[in-house]
Amino acid sequence: MKNPADFTPWQFKEEDFVFLDTLAPFIPEKVYDMHAHWYRQADLNSADKTLWTIGPEIGGLEQWSNCMQQFFPKTTLLGGLFFPAPLPKVNFSAANQFLTEELEKSELSRGLMLVQPENSQNELELGLSQHKIVGFKPYH
């Protein structure tokens, strides 16, 4: 097993690209990502050192696209199903707002609104009134 200290998230190493080359024959020409998170660090309310807080300040459509193109350079990315990062102290309202703003930049992408038991029926209905929000991601 490799030394965990060698792990540098958010950075590709040569060995990553070698591994991805072995996967290339199995990757279709077009890809739709069925599970990805978008976030802004400011909405996370987390001082802990985590994958989210040591990465880019904003992880939205542009960052996702750039990262996925590195993974799959010969693939057309159609879009994805996105939802906010479900961290314990996340600002649900701000995270959901960021999600809807980013979804407007991607024709085929859709999103799941991050919800909690405290959400009112009005909040849920308002979220679903956004044409690219197709459901909920419950988080307690």
Side-chain angles (χ1 to χ4, degrees):
M1 181 172 182
K2 290 189 171 194
N3 181 348
D6 293 337
F7 177 67
T8 51
W10 302 103
Q11 295 179 16
F12 287 96
K13 294 183 177 182
E14 185 59 34
E15 62 197 47
D16 297 322
F17 292 109
V18 170
F19 176 70
L20 290 171
D21 282 343
T22 65
L23 292 179
F26 303 100
I27 306 299
E29 291 178 19
K30 297 177 182 179
V31 170
Y32 190 89
D33 191 337
M34 290 304 297
H35 182 129
H37 298 277
W38 282 342
Y39 69 93
R40 289 182 298 205
Q41 286 186 8
D43 300 335
L44 300 178
N45 296 317
S46 176
D48 297 335
K49 195 171 187 178
T50 68
L51 182 65
W52 309 102
T53 60
I54 63 173
E57 190 172 318
I58 294 176
L61 177 65
E62 180 181 350
Q63 293 76 19
W64 170 83
S65 296
N66 291 341
C67 183
M68 291 299 103
Q69 279 305 157
Q70 288 183 67
F71 271 113
F72 311 116
K74 298 176 183 170
T75 299
T76 300
L77 299 170
L78 300 176
L81 179 63
F82 299 97
F83 36 102
L87 272 66
K89 297 178 182 176
V90 67
N91 179 328
F92 280 68
S93 178
N96 286 323
Q97 180 63 38
F98 177 67
L99 173 69
T100 58
E101 291 168 3
E102 291 296 291
L103 288 172
E104 289 304 316
K105 301 174 186 177
S106 177
E107 182 181 347
L108 297 177
S109 292
R110 298 296 182 264
L112 299 177
M113 180 180 164
L114 194 61
V115 298
Q116 57 190 338
E118 294 81 16
N119 285 115
S120 69
Q121 182 174 343
N122 188 46
E123 289 173 304
L124 301 177
E125 289 173 357
L126 183 60
L128 287 178
S129 72
Q130 304 292 321
H131 72 283
K132 292 196 173 192
I133 298 294
V134 294
F136 301 126
K137 178 68 175 171
Y139 187 72
H140 58 81

